[in-house]
Amino acid sequence: MSRSLGVMEALRTVLPEWSLEAFVAATLFGDLLFVAPALVLFYLVDVGSSIRRGRREEPLCSDRTVSLIATIFGGLSLVVLLESMFALPRPPAEYHVIEPSEFGFPSGHTMAATVFWGALALWLPRGRRSVRIGIAGAIVALVAVSRLALGVHYLVDVVASVVFGAVYLATVGRLALDRPLRAFLAALGIALAAAVATGVNDRAFLALVGTAVGLVGWWLVEHPVIRRRVYGVYDRLIPDST
């Protein structure tokens, strides 16, 4: 049964060529090349804020931030798992503006954007929650439309991706929010399932290694000995910090 409802085809027909470069840029908001550095930056900002506050009995990175990062790792692994499970083709190649990966359902970029921006909107303690959710929704919609405009997904693909991402966030938020170890173990389980389902293809391997490194790195950094050394370096660099 075809997934095409004619929306993608209609968009590709009416969109001017000059607009496609803008959609190529917009799709990056759900791309791993954007999400991964953003997570690193987010972690470093939280650690820096913790060090400046000087609350040495507290974790260097808050439980909320670490569980959020682990949740996003799990969501990226879930994309790989679902794509392998459904293994549905993309639209015909004549519609493609960019060179896509193999499978077309769900939309990995749209689901990654849903998980990443949705997690930030729901769990970041900054600004009004309704504003955060509105901004996140707009970015997810932009990524979804960009995937249609670039001819690499059908409407069903992107809508299903938003649903999958939202259900995943609701589930993890209930079970593992502010529980970093539980969030990382859930992410690692999903990554292992994706590796088995795909025969450890490149994307599954990266998801598994990235999640494992994130878990081990978090544990090491939060070890009391390492934490004391981090503060020791900070005190030497900025003596007045004490």
Side-chain angles (χ1 to χ4, degrees), residues 84-201:
S84 175
M85 287 173 56
F86 289 105
L88 295 177
R90 291 185 181 272
E94 59 263 28
Y95 291 108
H96 298 176
V97 176
I98 58 176
E99 186 66 31
S101 57
E102 183 178 5
F103 299 127
F105 183 93
S107 165
H109 282 74
T110 306
M111 188 169 167
T114 302
V115 172
F116 177 75
W117 295 103
L120 295 183
L122 292 172
W123 300 333
L124 270 184
R126 291 180 177 84
R128 292 176 57 187
R129 194 167 189 259
S130 59
V131 173
R132 298 197 307 266
I133 292 175
I135 293 173
I139 294 173
V140 171
L142 178 62
V143 173
V145 172
S146 75
R147 303 309 285 172
L148 301 179
L150 297 176
V152 292
H153 286 291
Y154 296 114
L155 178 63
V156 173
D157 304 340
V158 298
V159 171
S161 300
V162 174
V163 173
F164 287 144
V167 170
Y168 170 75
L169 286 178
T171 303
V172 176
R174 180 179 295 271
L175 298 177
L177 183 60
D178 293 333
R179 297 172 178 174
L181 181 58
R182 183 178 292 188
F184 259 121
L185 290 177
L188 190 60
I190 297 170
L192 284 169
V196 171
T198 62
V200 197
N201 67 13

Side-chain angles (χ1 to χ4, degrees), residues 220-230:
L220 287 175
V221 170
E222 294 298 343
H223 191 280
V225 173
I226 301 297
R227 194 189 310 168
R228 284 196 298 270
R229 290 183 177 178
V230 169

